[in-house]
Amino acid sequence: MEEKYVRIARFLESCTSLMQCDYRMAGGKIREILRGIAASGELTALFTAVTKGFDYTAARRIYLRPASGGTHGTAYLPVARKDILAFVFCLLVEFDAGTMKLEEFLLRYFYVDGSYTAGFLIFTDRVVKPFRDIVADCFPEIRAGEHGEECGEREHEEGRQEAFAPAAALIEAERGRIAALDLGEEGRAASELIFAGLSQAAAEGDVALFSAVLAGYKYFLRYFGIGEQPALFSFAASL
C-alpha cells in the first residue's frame, strides 16, 4: 500500500481506537486523530475543503440543543456528509484545545444516568463512527483493500446520500414548527427523539428507517391533534 494510504489507514485506526477506549483516555486519542490529519496531505486537503465557509458557531446552535428548562440537551449531526466531517472535526479541535470539556459535553448532550462511560459509548457510536466511515468512503482504495467493496456499491451509497440532500432543511423547518407549540415536557421530549431519528436516518441514507420513524411521527401528530406538513411527507414518498 502506498505511504499516503498507510497514513490514512492509521488515521482510521485512531478513530476506531477512540471508539473503543475508556473515556478517561479520550484526550490522547483525540490528539492522535488530529495529528493524523496534520500528517497526511490528503486528509489535510479534505478537511480544509469541508471546513471552508463552514460556520461552526451557527452549527453549534443548530445541532447542540439545550433542553428548555433543564440542564441536559440533545446533540444532532448535520445531514450533508461534508458538514458532518466539518462539524465533528471542529468538535474534536475544541476538546483538544480544552475550550470544551469532554466530560461536561457528555453530561449535557449524552446524559445516561450521570454515567460518563455510557454517555461516551453513545457519543462515539453516533458521532465518531459516522465521521470515521465518511472519511473511509472518501478513500475507496483503502476500503476496497480492507473490505472488498465494489464500485457499484459505493455509487449506490452516494446516490442514496444525494437523494437525502433536501432532508436537513425539511427536518429543521418541521422541528421549528413543533417547537413553537405548547406540547408540554413529554411532547417536546418525544418530538426531539423523533427528529433525532429522522436526522440520523437521513445522515445514513437509510430509506427504511426514515420511513419507519416518519410513520411514528404521523401518529405523534394525530395524538396531539397537529396537522401534517405536506413537504416532509411528500419528500419521503419520493425516496
Side-chain angles (χ1 to χ4, degrees):
M1 186 183 294
E2 292 184 40
E3 180 60 30
K4 64 180 180 179
Y5 295 128
V6 170
R7 288 192 290 267
I8 296 168
R10 287 173 182 163
F11 163 82
L12 298 174
E13 290 170 1
S14 296
C15 293
T16 301
S17 182
L18 173 61
M19 294 170 59
Q20 296 173 344
C21 78
D22 185 282
Y23 79 90
R24 287 167 290 194
M25 305 294 293
K29 301 297 183 181
I30 290 171
R31 192 165 300 114
E32 186 177 307
I33 288 172
L34 297 176
R35 286 175 178 169
I37 294 172
S40 166
E42 289 71 25
L43 290 175
T44 299
L46 172 64
F47 284 98
T48 298
V50 298
T51 55
K52 184 178 181 180
F54 182 75
D55 190 339
Y56 178 58
T57 301
R60 280 195 57 164
R61 289 195 297 268
I62 295 172
Y63 301 113
L64 300 180
R65 298 195 167 219
S68 57
T71 58
H72 308 302
T74 308
Y76 305 93
L77 285 183
V79 171
R81 290 158 70 84
K82 70 180 187 65
D83 290 342
I84 292 175
L85 292 184
F87 183 63
V88 178
F89 171 76
C90 291
L91 273 180
L92 296 179
V93 169
E94 274 212 275
F95 292 143
D96 186 54
T99 54
M100 182 161 54
K101 303 297 184 184
L102 177 62
E103 290 84 355
E104 294 175 4
F105 179 83
L106 294 175
L107 284 182
R108 188 170 183 81
Y109 299 107
F110 293 91
Y111 181 82
V112 184
D113 297 329
S115 169
Y116 289 124
T117 298
F120 183 68
L121 287 173
I122 297 174
F123 164 71
T124 56
D125 183 63
R126 294 183 182 175
V127 176
V128 180
K129 185 177 183 294
F131 174 78
R132 179 200 64 185
D133 291 348
I134 292 170
V135 174
D137 286 341
C138 292
F139 300 95
E141 296 86 350
I142 295 176
R143 278 248 155 155
E146 291 181 352
H147 307 295
E149 292 182 349
E150 297 296 330
C151 291
E153 292 176 351
R154 292 197 300 272
E155 290 172 357
H156 178 65
E157 174 67 18
E158 290 169 2
R160 286 194 303 170
Q161 293 295 338
E162 185 177 348
F164 272 100
L170 293 172
I171 293 170
E172 285 306 311
E174 188 69 357
R175 178 183 277 123
R177 182 174 79 101
I178 299 303
L181 302 176
D182 184 12
L183 303 180
E185 186 66 22
E186 183 180 359
R188 184 201 61 78
S191 69
E192 286 302 322
L193 283 174
I194 290 170
F195 291 129
L198 288 172
S199 296
Q200 188 69 28
E204 295 175 357
D206 192 328
V207 176
L209 178 59
F210 191 87
S211 299
V213 177
L214 199 60
Y217 183 52
K218 183 175 291 189
Y219 282 102
F220 170 89
L221 294 175
R222 290 177 182 174
Y223 178 81
F224 284 99
I226 305 168
E228 293 180 7
Q229 196 76 340
L232 186 60
F233 289 92
S234 296
F235 166 76
S238 71
L239 293 173

